[in-house]
Amino acid sequence: MESTTPAGAPAADPARDAARDTESAEFDAVIAADGRIEPRDAMPDAYRKTLVRQMSQHANSEIIGMQPEGNWITRAPSLMRKAILMAKVQDEAGHGLYLYSAAETLGTSRAEMTDALLAGTARYSSIFNYPTPTWADMGAIGWLVDGAAIMNQMPLCRCSYGPYARAMVRICKEESFHQRQGFEILLTLSRGTTAQHEMAQDAVNRWYAPSLMMFGPPDADSSHSAQSMAWKIKRFSNDELRQRFVDMLVPQAEALGLTLPDDGLRWNEQRGHYDYGDLDWAEFKAVLRGEGQCNAQRLAHRRRAHEDGAWVRDAASAYAAKQATKDAARQEVSAA
Ligand code: 3HC
């Protein structure tokens, strides 16, 4: 039967449509069975798109997240603290590499993702737009920010997209070192002089609420959660993970001898969780609009670092081209 269609519409192709239906059914079956989608599997364009969005944002966060702590490497109070902080910042760079590489399996290059970040059109986590004025911030970032990251990333080890889930397994192991070293910095300061205790409390006061907002907007305002959970990219909602984090923080803060700056914090026997105070979502939205305390500084630093590193990329490309020419010549000789 000859296909007739309105001008411009693709000709009906029953065989192609049947193939697409099979692919879609196979994808749905893998998701329903809690299986893994791999790079070569057929997947809905929207699934691919939201994974590139989330994974590149995650990778961007790791790279930008090096700045607040890198700021203190030259000013760490001891050689040991300097060594630990350097190791942590290097870990973040590696996490960014894993995640960019995992995202590249979806067909978007690392250069495209980097260009989007440098252009200010790609997001990174809101949390990295806050300043780090004292050494105690290194403790608060480790305990609160990396602690929140672990809470958010552990479920991602069971994400339906294989490369992302596998990247998360190794990242989460390193994050637990990050969180423990932060807790230990705060514990040392909290048990130190009055001035040190006050510095630790001041840092917790500044980082507590922004770390809760890392988990994303309230579920009612989360535009991606429903679909991401249906596709088992997200295993828990923003509010569920935020609640787990608060429940974990309270006893740890007591062990630290520090106070969480939240008048709404109280145990709710009925819910079996801690109630906590309202968060400033206007501040969160302002940070996402680029109006946070450090947004401009973080992007300017990233752009400068990218420019400064151009010679390394050029040298690596020139070396790769030279090697390719040599390999081709060798193959010609061996084929002759
Ligand atoms: N910072 C910046 N943007 C955020 C955000 C945050 N903390 N939370 C949400 N958003 C954005 C979303 O990207 C989305 O933007 P869009 O409308 O432009 O697409 C919008 O706000 C709506 O949020 P949703 O809840 O609908 O978005 P998601 O379903 O993607 O959930 C998320 C947000 C929970 C952060 C999820 O993206 C996620 O789990 N990402 C992976 C983990 C991650 O990025 N962790 C944070 C940083 S990594 C880190 O901390 C490193 C550590 O070593 C220190």
Side-chain angles (χ1 to χ4, degrees):
M1 177 188 76
E2 196 176 319
S3 58
T4 51
T5 58
D13 179 341
R16 181 199 61 202
D17 295 347
R20 278 194 180 153
D21 291 348
T22 309
E23 284 177 353
S24 171
E26 284 166 0
F27 172 85
D28 293 344
V30 170
I31 298 294
D34 237 352
R36 286 275 160 81
I37 301 296
E38 296 299 337
R40 290 198 177 90
D41 293 344
M43 62 184 85
D45 290 344
Y47 177 82
R48 184 187 303 275
K49 189 163 170 266
T50 205
L51 278 167
V52 171
R53 171 191 65 82
Q54 178 168 326
M55 292 166 74
S56 59
Q57 176 172 323
H58 198 161
N60 293 339
S61 305
E62 301 281 2
I63 298 301
I64 298 285
M66 293 164 71
Q67 292 186 34
E69 292 165 311
N71 181 26
W72 275 91
I73 288 175
T74 55
R75 298 182 286 166
S78 71
L79 182 60
M80 182 193 76
R81 293 293 185 197
K82 184 197 285 273
I84 292 172
L85 191 57
M86 283 171 70
K88 181 185 188 305
V89 171
Q90 283 168 342
D91 280 352
E92 308 299 9
H95 296 174
L97 179 61
Y98 293 151
L99 289 162
Y100 282 130
S101 302
E104 284 191 310
T105 63
L106 289 157
T108 301
S109 73
R110 181 172 176 185
E112 287 171 277
M113 291 183 268
T114 299
D115 290 347
L117 173 63
L118 298 176
T121 55
R123 292 194 188 287
Y124 57 89
S125 186
S126 50
I127 193 68
F128 296 119
N129 291 304
Y130 291 84
T132 51
T134 76
W135 169 253
D137 290 289
M138 296 307 100
I141 287 179
W143 179 49
L144 291 170
V145 176
D146 291 278
I150 292 172
M151 190 61 78
N152 163 281
Q153 291 171 171
M154 282 305 284
L156 285 171
C157 296
R158 292 189 297 117
C159 166
S160 59
Y161 187 58
Y164 196 19
R166 291 188 289 270
M168 279 293 105
V169 172
R170 174 148 179 199
I171 286 176
C172 285
K173 285 181 182 149
E174 292 172 345
E175 290 296 357
S176 58
F177 144 64
H178 297 174
Q179 195 224 14
R180 289 175 198 285
Q181 64 85 37
F183 183 91
E184 200 269 332
I185 289 173
L186 288 178
L187 188 62
T188 304
L189 292 171
S190 176
R191 292 176 174 171
T193 64
T194 304
Q196 287 173 327
H197 181 91
E198 285 167 358
M199 184 165 67
Q201 184 60 61
D202 163 63
V204 169
N205 291 348
R206 285 184 284 106
W207 287 91
Y208 168 77
S211 68
L212 266 56
M213 293 195 267
M214 267 177 78
F215 291 96
D219 291 351
D221 300 330
S222 173
S223 48
H224 298 291
S225 275
Q227 183 61 70
S228 289
M229 290 179 80
W231 279 330
K232 298 181 182 172
I233 294 168
K234 251 184 181 177
R235 292 291 183 160
F236 301 97
S237 76
N238 299 354
D239 287 332
E240 282 174 314
L241 291 179
R242 197 178 349 262
Q243 180 65 71
R244 288 187 181 189
F245 185 55
V246 171
D247 291 346
M248 181 193 80
L249 284 185
V250 174
Q252 290 186 5
E254 284 162 13
L256 283 168
L258 296 172
T259 308
L260 294 174
D262 186 340
D263 298 337
L265 205 55
R266 62 180 56 76
W267 178 252
N268 182 319
E269 193 58 42
Q270 205 181 350
R271 289 197 318 121
H273 293 288
Y274 282 93
D275 293 338
Y276 54 91
D278 293 337
L279 294 167
D280 184 347
W281 294 111
E283 177 186 308
F284 176 76
K285 287 178 183 154
V287 172
L288 263 59
R289 285 196 305 268
E291 297 159 15
Q293 298 177 61
C294 296
N295 292 62
Q297 173 191 337
R298 297 288 185 241
L299 267 187
H301 183 102
R302 184 70 194 89
R303 289 174 181 138
R304 201 168 44 250
H306 190 72
E307 283 153 23
D308 293 350
W311 70 272
V312 177
R313 294 190 297 278
D314 295 346
S317 307
Y319 178 76
K322 210 159 115 186
Q323 287 308 101
T325 309
K326 278 186 185 169
D327 292 349
R330 262 197 294 274
Q331 277 165 13
E332 257 182 53
V333 166
S334 57

